[in-house]
Amino acid sequence: MSQPVPGKPALLTVDDDPSVSRAVARDLRRRYGERYRIVRAESGDAALEALRELKLRGGAVALILADYRMPGMSGIEFLEQAMDLYPMARRVLLTAYADTGAAIDAINLVDLDHYLLKPWDPPEEKLYPVVDSLLEAWAASDRRPVDETRVVGHRWSPRSSAVREFLARNQLAYTWYMSDESEGRRLLAAADIDDRSLPVVICADGTVLVEPTDTELAQHLGLRTDPSGDFYDLVVVGGGPAGLGAALYGASEGLRTVLVERTAAGGQAGQSSRIENYLGFPDGVSGSQLADRARRQATRFGAELITTRDVIALECNGSARSVRFADDTRIHAHTVILATGVAYRSLAAEGLDELTGRGVYYGSAVTEAARCADQDVYIVGGANSAGQAALYLARGAKSVTIVVRAPSLTASMSHYLIAQIDQTPGVHVRTCSEVVGVAGSDHLESIRLRNNATGEVETVDAGFLFLFIGAAPRTDWLDGLVARDDHGFILSGPDLVEDEKAHATWPLDRAPHHLETSVPGVYAAGDVRSQSAKRVASAVGEGAMAVMLVHRYLGQL
């Protein structure tokens, strides 16, 4: 094994085949040897030893390339342990064609950045472009050591679950301790806090947060919650695919851009376990991975991203457009893009409110997936998000049942997902059915299902219930200023013109731009827009298109 020496950032490659190991190291050294130290190992244990030595000496690791098939420790097992030592290093799996399925699984398991097929010749075409891109992303990222944040809470506490979900969605590392276990009790005693004040978050610097709000978590754990200025070229409201697309293209086109998000980048798409119909990712990509890459890309171009800020009003002040926050502060801009997406509708079922966060969750609670192992899981909803969650949870759950009111999934779910559900053991679909009640002591234990065709009500055992019902736009705060349709979705462009009442409020002689709302200079993109496609790709495209129209608007001022 080549010995790690601190100084230059390291590129580490591990392969149990000496000839392959030497070939990878040779190709990496040929292109990157002047700027990076190439570290070669021929087993997972040896590679971990090299990483630990680098860690002790304060060395940096930019990229780790591991072979999938290694005796004693597979490439995936090695990368899992390597993440603990160098979580910001980019991770690549080297695999044969027959093992591509394992590589796809590793995308979610170890947040894999890329996988390469053997052979990678010529490296100028198959190796170097991939490594160039990953090293560029690594160089632009925040590479400070990940400090340990500890969370102590009750297993079935809604707020404990919400805190963990917030940290996970914002890519903030933490360790979870249950309050009724020994280590959890020890941490509470050390902080002099009893278990009636949960959850408790203990930051790396020793700060103790008792029942913290999302804003408190963000402020103490390094997320930006305040804009750096008060006037921008473009304010983007909402951090889903449309908002991230708008922020990326706005900043890359030279606009001073700020994105405001209330929870975490990615929106509902960021919670998807696997998106398979997004252009450029033939093997699928997790929502969190896509959101994280988009966030890093937008900030690399100079966009500001601020979180945990609730926008409560949009105001027109002459040619300026102002966004007002819940604390009555404002930021101003020439233009605004509304990309607030949609929220899941509440389900009116007996007992459901009391058990929300205690086995009942709206959307795909990523932190709860591991706890679904060997459980009977029910999912309400027939759209793609429900199908993606069902397939993901089916990996460990005892059974997964999708409950839909419709007679089939074909009207609301993509064909490829329906085909996968049909072929996945343990996933069942109950059509013409709905949840009418839930029950349990301190957490969900059973569900009452009604067959709408027969009227029969059945009680079934269930450990978890995930709800993906309908899409309600978050647009009440625009009331009286921006025209919306009967369901609250924002009217724009041609739809604005066709609506006589809305078009009557249009103040300019020119026709509104394609995505422009009833307020000139304010655009809508993504799911919040009336008649939108409700797909990730179209949302990203609309975000990019809105920026083009922003430029057109600014040129007319």
Side-chain angles (χ1 to χ4, degrees):
M1 181 187 73
S2 56
Q3 295 298 311
V5 179
K8 300 177 183 177
L11 310 182
L12 183 142
T13 173
V14 52
D15 195 303
D16 66 297
D17 185 328
S19 63
V20 175
S21 178
R22 286 192 296 269
V24 175
R26 178 201 65 216
D27 287 342
L28 291 176
R29 190 174 294 109
R30 183 181 300 163
R31 185 176 181 93
Y32 307 104
E34 292 185 2
R35 293 174 293 139
Y36 296 89
R37 181 166 300 278
I38 311 304
V39 180
R40 181 173 69 85
E42 294 182 4
S43 72
D45 288 333
L48 288 173
E49 180 184 346
L51 290 176
R52 293 189 189 101
E53 187 174 343
L54 275 168
K55 193 76 172 179
L56 287 173
R57 297 186 181 187
V61 176
L63 180 139
I64 300 172
L65 193 155
D67 182 51
Y68 169 63
R69 287 188 179 272
M70 294 190 294
M73 181 187 300
S74 73
I76 295 175
E77 292 170 335
F78 162 72
L79 288 174
E80 282 189 277
Q81 297 187 52
M83 284 175 66
D84 295 333
L85 294 168
Y86 283 96
M88 299 305 295
R90 296 306 186 248
R91 293 173 285 277
V92 179
L93 197 66
L94 188 61
T95 180
Y97 180 79
D99 297 321
T100 53
I104 294 169
D105 291 340
I107 290 174
N108 288 316
L109 187 60
V110 295
D111 195 17
L112 194 68
D113 292 291
H114 204 91
Y115 68 87
L116 288 171
L117 295 176
K118 300 178 185 178
W120 59 91
D121 291 328
E124 289 78 11
E125 295 181 11
K126 298 184 178 180
L127 177 64
Y128 296 152
V130 172
V131 175
D132 285 345
S133 176
L134 295 177
L135 291 179
E136 182 182 359
W138 177 83
S141 66
D142 183 352
R143 300 187 299 277
R144 292 173 297 179
V146 175
D147 296 320
E148 182 184 27
T149 297
R150 290 165 288 182
V151 181
V152 184
H154 188 276
R155 179 182 183 185
W156 297 114
S157 160
R159 184 54 192 161
S160 293
S161 176
V163 165
R164 296 167 62 203
E165 190 79 2
F166 177 84
L167 297 175
R169 291 186 61 192
N170 281 285
Q171 311 287 321
L172 298 171
Y174 72 94
T175 304
W176 163 253
Y177 301 93
M178 287 195 287
S179 58
D180 57 355
E181 295 183 343
S182 59
E183 186 61 17
R185 289 193 297 267
R186 187 190 70 77
L187 290 170
L188 291 176
D192 195 24
I193 295 171
D194 61 45
D195 59 7
R196 291 172 295 179
S197 302
L198 297 177
V200 170
V201 177
I202 304 170
C203 303
D205 62 1
T207 302
V208 178
L209 306 177
V210 180
E211 300 179 89
T213 64
D214 288 353
T215 300
E216 289 173 329
L217 287 170
Q219 291 172 340
H220 281 87
L221 297 177
L223 296 180
R224 173 174 283 183
T225 59
D226 295 303
S228 64
D230 59 7
F231 197 93
Y232 295 82
D233 295 315
L234 171 63
V235 173
V236 181
V237 184
L244 287 168
L248 166 63
Y249 285 99
S252 67
E253 293 297 323
L255 299 177
R256 190 180 182 200
T257 302
V258 60
L259 183 151
V260 183
E261 166 56 43
R262 64 187 304 179
T263 305
Q268 285 188 6
Q271 296 176 278
S272 295
S273 57
R274 187 173 170 193
I275 302 169
E276 295 187 76
N277 60 347
Y278 187 68
L279 184 67
F281 291 87
D283 301 312
V285 61
S286 72
S288 62
Q289 190 176 35
L290 185 64
D292 181 55
R293 292 182 178 188
R295 176 188 57 80
R296 295 200 315 254
Q297 194 174 11
T299 55
R300 182 168 65 87
F301 281 113
E304 282 184 37
L305 270 64
I306 61 175
T307 58
T308 66
R309 298 301 297 266
D310 271 326
V311 177
I312 63 169
L314 176 68
E315 302 167 347
C316 295
N317 297 302
S319 62
R321 304 291 178 256
S322 303
V323 168
R324 178 156 56 93
F325 299 125
D327 62 0
D328 210 37
T329 60
R330 293 168 173 80
I331 52 175
H332 314 280
H334 291 301
T335 58
V336 174
I337 294 177
L338 303 173
T340 49
V342 293
Y344 292 115
R345 297 184 188 276
S346 298
L347 178 65
E350 183 180 353
L352 190 134
D353 290 344
E354 293 80 3
L355 292 177
T356 297
R358 300 176 179 178
V360 176
Y361 303 95
Y362 283 92
S364 180
V366 295
T367 56
E368 304 302 326
R371 294 166 58 193
C372 293
D374 300 320
Q375 297 283 327
D376 292 311
V377 177
Y378 283 74
I379 293 174
V380 178
N384 279 9
S385 53
Q388 290 161 352
L391 292 171
Y392 179 64
L393 294 172
R395 298 177 182 180
K398 180 181 177 182
S399 69
V400 177
T401 303
I402 302 174
V403 181
V404 290
R405 291 183 178 181
S408 74
L409 295 172
T410 55
S412 55
M413 189 178 293
S414 293
H415 174 75
Y416 80 91
L417 279 172
I418 296 174
Q420 290 184 24
I421 287 169
D422 289 342
Q423 296 168 9
T424 303
V427 178
H428 314 283
V429 181
R430 292 186 62 146
T431 59
C432 301
S433 300
E434 61 181 305
V435 173
V436 295
V438 296
S441 51
D442 64 340
H443 65 280
L444 178 70
E445 296 173 357
S446 65
I447 297 173
R448 293 199 308 280
L449 295 168
R450 181 175 63 208
N451 185 317
N452 292 331
T454 65
E456 179 185 356
V457 176
E458 177 187 2
T459 299
V460 296
D461 294 334
F464 290 86
L465 173 64
F466 296 94
L467 305 170
F468 299 84
I469 49 174
R474 297 169 172 167
T475 58
D476 291 345
W477 58 285
L478 298 170
D479 209 10
L481 182 64
V482 175
R484 298 170 293 157
D485 65 18
D486 294 339
H487 302 286
F489 292 92
I490 297 173
L491 295 169
S492 62
D495 295 325
L496 181 65
V497 173
E498 292 174 7
D499 188 296
E500 293 183 5
K501 183 178 178 181
H503 192 219
T505 66
W506 177 250
L508 302 182
D509 292 335
R510 67 167 175 83
H513 299 149
H514 183 66
L515 301 177
E516 197 166 20
T517 72
S518 58
V519 178
V522 177
Y523 297 83
D527 290 1
V528 75
R529 190 179 65 83
S530 181
Q531 304 300 318
S532 65
K534 306 296 187 292
R535 289 291 185 267
V536 174
S538 61
V540 173
E542 288 188 9
M545 181 188 295
V547 170
M548 179 192 72
L549 298 173
V550 161
H551 278 288
R552 184 181 300 176
Y553 173 82
L554 293 174
Q556 295 170 341
L557 289 180

